[in-house]
Amino acid sequence: MADQPVLGELPDQRAVFRRAAPWLRGHRVALAAAVLLNLAGAALAVGVTAAIGRVVDAADDGDREALVGRVLLLLVAVAATGVLTWASRYWLIRVGERVLAGLREHATAAVGGAPLRFVEAHRGGELLRRLTGELDGLARFAGGTLPDLVAAALVLVFTVVMLALYSWPLTLALLIGFLPPAVLIVRRFQRRAGDAYAGVAAAETAVAARFAESLPAREQLRISGAVPRWLKRFRADNDRLRAAREREVVTELTLNLLTLLQAGCVAGLLVLSALFVGYGRLSVGVAVVFVLATRDILGRFEDLAASLGEARSAHVRLARLLDLVRATGASPAGGVAGGVDPVGLPARGRLVLTGVGFTYGPGAPVVDGLSLTVAPGERLVVVGPTGAGKSTVGKLLAGLYPPDRGTVTYGGHELTALTARSLRSRIVLVPQEVTLVAGTLGENLAMVAGRPGPDRVAAVLDTLGLSGWVASLPGGLGTPLEADSLSTGERQLVAIARAVLADPAVLVLDEATAGVDRETAARIEDALSAAAGDRALVVIAHRAETVARGHRVLTMPEGTVGGVRR
């Protein structure tokens, strides 16, 4: 079995920002503008504190003219600070949202273009959580915490520089008294935060996955009386989430020690400032600046430390999202790596399997050494008992599964070497369970490459003998499709019409008539016959009527091919 990349519950958190850097391409000028605005805003905010000291000194000296001038300058600085703070915050949020929008598109395209094996190897809730929950958390961080974090860090640095210019002894005393214990507290938090936040993210994913799996099966759970067993499993997931949340809260409470440290430092600085003023080493205005700036420094540091929790959580979310992109093989340039558009790929060609083997997991292969050729215009029927590998063969023929051994080629080109666009324009699979999207019948039919117009849709419906059925619907092609507005057979008719609109060379149908009445099955069979033409049909079926319409029969799991007895 070929190795299949899987998502890690606790992904690698090393070098996350370096790995995310390629997604900043195209945003670097805007990011530089955001940095400059934040630098200017922080510098001006610190300048307001210095201006307050100058106003106090002018008042203490009794210089009325200087006092008026400095008050006016202070008012201008306050107003400018407000404008710059708003502009810097807005621009940073704007850049962050645009980066996240691009990353959201890349991640969605990565999952949409990922190998079917990758999707089937993960719970639906796991993929949904990473595409929605992790990005929503990052958006909240970018729009709320990140601007505060950047502003606090810049103001903190500029304030320390300003205080050092006023009095380096007091600044040194402040740093010696505050920084070492503060760093120890933050480091203790950081050591615990990674596992704590990753544990919460993994537990939230488990709960989301449990819900995602149970909702489609709600009727079966009630009919079979399995609701208590489901609730027991959900309770275990919920207990895991509660325990993870408790660890997260205990970790965050470590930062509360900074409040006690702040109070002690402010008290100590007040005593030192009073002594310096008494000995004539500082003016009253400078002392006021020190007291105000110190409170600002300690408050900003506390805000910074408090934001570290959300920053650490965002770090984990980004790591989980990048892990998803990595596992799907997507690149920052967009799409999934691999595949070329070959020159001379025929519009109608032979589909050839040569020595194909495929295994889902440890144990015997589901398909072993299968060789087969499907020619244009041929109708091959695949039969066999449940679990014999019929659907697997269909997915191998459609290129949804790459073979573990052997090759699958179309027109002499391996399917694994083709781009998704080339492959899907030549080979289309109609699954047994057809999914329709919210919208009208016409919009669902037009969900193929090239967006066929009304004339093309009408022509295909007429060829398939479905025009009367469409006309019988309340709104024709404009009929809105709800969750249960069409029967299983009618969904199959929509899927077949949509497949024919793509005009593939090979049409693979997996149990197209399973679970429908004879009348609907006959309508589907007639539609298939009308769709055949010069294209190859591969029909996976149980019904004798369907088998009788075939040219050859592939019997699984033996892999033998024979003619149809008529």
Side-chain angles (χ1 to χ4, degrees):
M1 181 181 69
D3 292 335
Q4 174 59 57
V6 294
L7 299 174
E9 189 174 65
L10 300 177
D12 185 7
Q13 299 177 42
R14 295 172 297 179
V16 167
F17 296 113
R18 179 178 59 78
R19 288 186 280 138
W23 273 269
L24 295 177
R25 293 171 187 164
H27 303 282
R28 290 174 180 170
V29 173
L31 189 60
V35 170
L36 290 175
L37 282 171
N38 276 273
L39 285 171
L44 201 54
V46 173
V48 167
T49 304
I52 292 174
R54 292 177 62 81
V55 169
V56 171
D57 280 337
D60 187 48
D61 294 340
D63 188 344
R64 180 173 297 181
E65 184 178 347
L67 178 61
V68 172
R70 291 176 184 181
V71 167
L72 291 175
L73 182 62
L74 175 61
L75 292 176
V76 171
V78 169
T81 300
V83 172
L84 267 178
T85 299
W86 181 90
S88 60
R89 186 181 184 90
Y90 165 77
W91 200 258
L92 189 61
I93 293 172
R94 182 173 181 269
V95 174
E97 288 295 338
R98 293 197 172 194
V99 171
L100 285 177
L103 187 54
R104 185 181 292 110
E105 290 183 8
H106 281 300
T108 303
V111 173
L116 187 60
R117 265 185 158 179
F118 171 83
V119 177
E120 293 177 343
H122 297 87
R123 302 168 73 179
E126 167 74 10
L127 300 178
L128 182 63
R129 174 71 188 180
R130 297 211 186 194
L131 284 175
T132 57
E134 309 305 1
L135 275 164
D136 286 345
L138 286 171
R140 289 193 300 271
F141 174 76
T145 305
L146 182 60
D148 294 336
L149 195 64
V150 172
L154 292 176
V155 170
L156 191 64
V157 172
F158 286 156
T159 303
V160 170
V161 172
M162 179 192 69
L163 292 183
L165 294 175
Y166 274 122
S167 173
W168 68 264
L170 269 182
T171 305
L172 185 61
L174 173 63
L175 294 178
I176 291 175
F178 178 74
L179 273 185
V183 169
L184 289 176
I185 292 171
V186 172
R187 286 189 64 184
R188 183 181 179 186
F189 166 79
Q190 289 284 70
R191 282 197 300 270
R192 299 179 177 182
D195 291 340
Y197 289 114
V200 169
E204 287 177 342
T205 296
V207 170
R210 187 70 64 192
F211 270 122
E213 292 167 352
S214 65
L215 288 176
R218 59 190 181 278
E219 292 183 5
Q220 184 60 40
L221 288 172
R222 291 181 181 181
I223 293 170
S224 62
V227 172
R229 290 196 297 275
W230 177 84
L231 288 174
K232 182 178 179 181
R233 292 182 178 181
F234 174 76
R235 192 176 298 114
D237 291 333
N238 197 36
D239 287 343
R240 177 188 174 193
L241 177 57
R242 176 186 52 77
R245 287 289 191 192
E246 289 177 356
R247 287 194 298 272
E248 180 185 48
V249 170
V250 170
T251 300
E252 290 177 345
L253 286 176
T254 303
L255 297 175
N256 281 9
L257 295 173
L258 291 172
T259 303
L260 296 175
L261 180 61
Q262 177 184 354
C265 287
V266 170
L269 192 67
L270 281 171
V271 173
L272 284 176
S273 296
L275 290 175
F276 273 54
V277 170
Y279 284 102
R281 300 286 300 276
L282 286 179
S283 68
V284 176
V286 172
V288 169
V289 169
F290 255 93
V291 173
L292 292 176
T294 299
R295 289 181 60 84
D296 195 28
I297 285 177
L298 301 180
R300 297 281 186 175
F301 191 90
E302 189 173 356
D303 292 342
L304 194 64
S307 299
L308 287 178
E310 295 181 43
R312 201 70 176 89
S313 177
H315 183 270
V316 172
R317 291 181 185 277
L318 182 57
R320 287 169 59 82
L321 194 61
L322 292 177
D323 186 44
L324 174 65
V325 175
R326 171 203 60 80
T328 58
S331 65
V336 178
V340 294
D341 287 313
V343 177
L345 190 66
R348 298 289 186 264
R350 290 177 177 271
L351 188 61
V352 181
L353 284 75
T354 306
V356 168
F358 185 88
T359 307
Y360 282 105
V366 178
V367 178
D368 189 15
L370 177 62
S371 295
L372 174 71
T373 298
V374 185
E378 182 180 5
R379 182 165 178 158
L380 174 72
V381 181
V382 184
V383 299
T386 300
K390 302 186 300 298
S391 294
T392 302
V393 170
K395 291 172 181 176
L396 286 166
L397 288 167
L400 295 175
Y401 285 162
D404 295 333
R405 297 174 302 282
T407 60
V408 183
T409 63
Y410 170 81
H413 299 271
E414 288 196 39
L415 301 191
T416 53
L418 301 178
T419 62
R421 181 175 181 178
S422 294
L423 179 59
R424 295 297 148 235
S425 68
R426 301 302 193 278
I427 308 172
V428 172
L429 180 140
V430 177
Q432 183 175 351
E433 296 293 332
V434 177
T435 301
L436 302 178
V437 300
T440 66
L441 173 60
E443 289 170 340
N444 273 271
L445 288 173
M447 288 181 60
V448 296
R451 302 288 296 176
D455 292 342
R456 167 71 175 154
V457 172
V460 167
L461 290 175
D462 188 57
T463 300
L464 296 176
L466 301 178
S467 298
W469 168 68
V470 173
S472 69
L473 298 175
L477 289 174
T479 303
L481 299 185
E482 305 295 338
D484 301 315
S485 57
L486 296 182
S487 67
T488 301
E490 289 173 327
R491 287 170 176 262
Q492 286 290 349
L493 292 174
V494 172
I496 292 170
R498 189 161 54 193
V500 175
L501 280 166
D503 192 25
V506 182
L507 183 57
V508 182
L509 298 108
D510 189 356
E511 299 284 7
T513 59
V516 300
D517 58 83
R518 287 186 176 275
E519 182 180 349
T520 305
R523 177 181 287 175
I524 292 174
E525 291 291 350
D526 290 341
L528 288 177
S529 297
D534 61 349
R535 67 172 51 90
L537 291 183
V538 178
V539 184
I540 300 167
H542 281 102
R543 289 179 181 270
E545 297 91 336
T546 304
V547 176
R549 295 189 184 223
H551 299 148
R552 289 190 300 157
V553 175
L554 169 64
T555 304
M556 296 297 294
E558 295 84 358
T560 57
V561 180
V564 177
R565 294 181 181 178
R566 299 183 184 275

